[in-house]
Amino acid sequence: MSFDRLQELIKAKKNPTVAGLDPKPEYVPPHILRTSLDKYGETLEGAADAIYRFNVGLIDALCDVVPAVKPQSAYYERLGWHGMMILEETIRYARAKGLFVIADVKRNDIGSTAQAYAEAWLGRIQVGEARLPAFDADCLTINGYLGSDGINPFLETCRAEDKCLFTLVKTSNPSSGELQDMIAGDRVVYQVVGDLNARLGQEDIGKYGYSRAGAVVGATYPSDLRSLRKRLEHTFFLVPGYGAQGGTAEDVRFAFDKYGRGAIINASRSIMCAWQKTGHDGQDYQDAARAAAEAMRDDIKQFVTIL
């Protein structure tokens, strides 16, 4: 089962972190950007080429440190079809390097449209006699606030293709409480969504005790994170909010079970843009990214032991 594979990669590398690949052209080291713009001009194609070259360098530097990468589709969509092409190529390259790929797309729809999203990102498309993968990620993020009609089509594809998903439950942004913390009977809204997601995924429990239906739970609300870990014992967590948003290693420890399993912690800009703090104009971007990823791993290791 797909989260079993992720947990095994985490165990092998003793590192429960995922590197976000959320690049803007201004995040790309100048020498890479200059080469691409010299070739393609100041165009979306030039920007996309630079970002892909940057991604490849980051993946090469990180593939033996982190178990997973998480490209955020918005940063590629803003470059039009050139961006979507390099997103597909980035996913393919990362998987070839043995990394688990979480497509951060936060899709949200019902019925045949939700099924189409699921097939695009996780499944295969029927073309005549052939069934062909499109983006072919290992996992994706979805917005489950449409209810079971918006979760089940994705889970069906996950079961057919041995993939998995993360549903937004308690997000890390400051205004999340405006809706997610509202009282709904004897629960708050984020608990209702977490319980629903857990129930829909309960038939798919892997060997490490986690279902295909994971949840996004932010590090910026550690007491909620801690209570949800106890409440959703079979739900694998994707935890944003570490670092730049204020979440600490001491906070994220609450995402894990007693064996140091069941969660993966995200960081994006702190790894991608680490070169901006070294004073070497990006020539050392790979070393800087690797050092930042290792520092994050070691920071979390102070509070989490992976067995």
Side-chain angles (χ1 to χ4, degrees):
M1 203 264 281
S2 197
F3 277 136
D4 288 341
R5 177 171 165 255
L6 176 57
Q7 187 62 67
E8 285 165 0
L9 287 169
I10 289 170
K11 286 180 63 181
K13 297 178 181 180
K14 298 296 182 185
N15 186 1
T17 71
V18 52
L21 298 178
D22 309 348
K24 295 180 178 181
E26 54 265 37
Y27 297 169
V28 178
H31 67 284
I32 297 176
L33 185 62
R34 186 168 53 249
T35 297
S36 295
L37 297 188
D38 284 348
K39 182 176 182 180
Y40 295 105
E42 293 183 350
T43 63
L44 294 179
E45 185 176 12
D49 182 74
I51 285 172
Y52 179 66
R53 286 158 46 84
F54 182 44
N55 282 351
V56 166
L58 289 172
I59 290 166
D60 286 346
L62 297 172
C63 62
D64 65 332
V65 177
V66 300
V69 291
K70 183 177 71 63
Q72 219 297 343
S73 65
Y75 292 88
Y76 302 86
E77 291 173 28
R78 67 199 293 268
L79 300 178
W81 70 265
H82 297 290
M84 297 311 287
M85 182 176 70
I86 65 154
L87 174 54
E88 180 188 347
E89 292 173 352
T90 294
I91 291 171
R92 186 183 306 121
Y93 188 80
R95 293 192 74 195
K97 286 287 187 174
L99 291 166
F100 189 90
V101 178
I102 302 166
D104 193 357
V105 300
K106 298 183 178 70
R107 293 303 189 249
N108 175 243
D109 220 304
I110 61 172
S112 59
T113 307
Q115 182 181 8
Y117 278 138
E119 289 171 347
W121 291 99
L122 300 175
R124 296 174 183 269
I125 314 303
Q126 195 74 39
V127 182
E129 297 298 318
R131 292 186 70 249
L132 307 171
F135 291 99
D136 202 23
D138 296 294
C139 180
L140 84 164
T141 60
I142 68 169
N143 184 339
Y145 277 80
L146 284 173
S148 58
D149 290 337
I151 300 174
N152 275 327
F154 292 97
L155 274 177
E156 289 169 4
T157 298
C158 287
R159 290 172 184 131
E161 302 291 339
D162 196 20
K163 302 290 182 74
C164 55
L165 59 82
F166 288 109
T167 299
L168 299 181
V169 172
K170 177 57 178 172
T171 57
S172 59
N173 56 299
S175 66
S176 66
E178 294 173 0
L179 296 175
Q180 296 169 19
D181 290 358
M182 292 184 69
I183 300 299
D186 60 348
R187 297 174 289 176
V188 293
V189 168
Y190 73 78
Q191 292 173 333
V192 174
V193 177
D195 292 348
L196 171 64
N197 187 62
R199 186 170 71 252
L200 295 176
Q202 64 187 350
E203 67 182 73
D204 297 299
I205 306 299
K207 71 178 182 178
Y208 292 103
Y210 293 95
S211 82
R212 296 186 192 280
V216 177
V217 182
T220 49
Y221 302 100
S223 62
D224 296 335
L225 178 59
R226 187 175 197 171
S227 66
L228 281 170
R229 175 72 287 155
K230 293 178 180 177
R231 186 183 192 96
L232 306 175
E233 61 179 341
H234 298 298
T235 302
F236 205 102
F237 289 174
L238 169 63
V239 184
Y242 172 91
Q245 293 185 54
T248 67
E250 190 171 3
D251 295 331
V252 303
R253 64 182 169 148
F254 298 125
F256 298 88
D257 66 19
K258 63 183 179 180
Y259 301 109
R261 301 171 186 170
I264 192 161
I265 316 302
N266 177 73
S268 299
R269 279 173 294 168
S270 61
I271 294 174
M272 287 188 304
C273 299
W275 65 268
Q276 294 177 346
K277 298 180 179 180
T278 66
H280 297 291
D281 203 28
Q283 297 291 334
D284 62 342
Y285 79 98
Q286 289 178 296
D287 291 339
R290 184 182 180 92
E294 290 175 337
M296 179 183 178
R297 176 200 63 197
D298 295 344
D299 188 28
I300 293 170
K301 271 185 178 180
Q302 297 178 77
F303 301 95
V304 179
T305 299
I306 300 168
L307 301 179

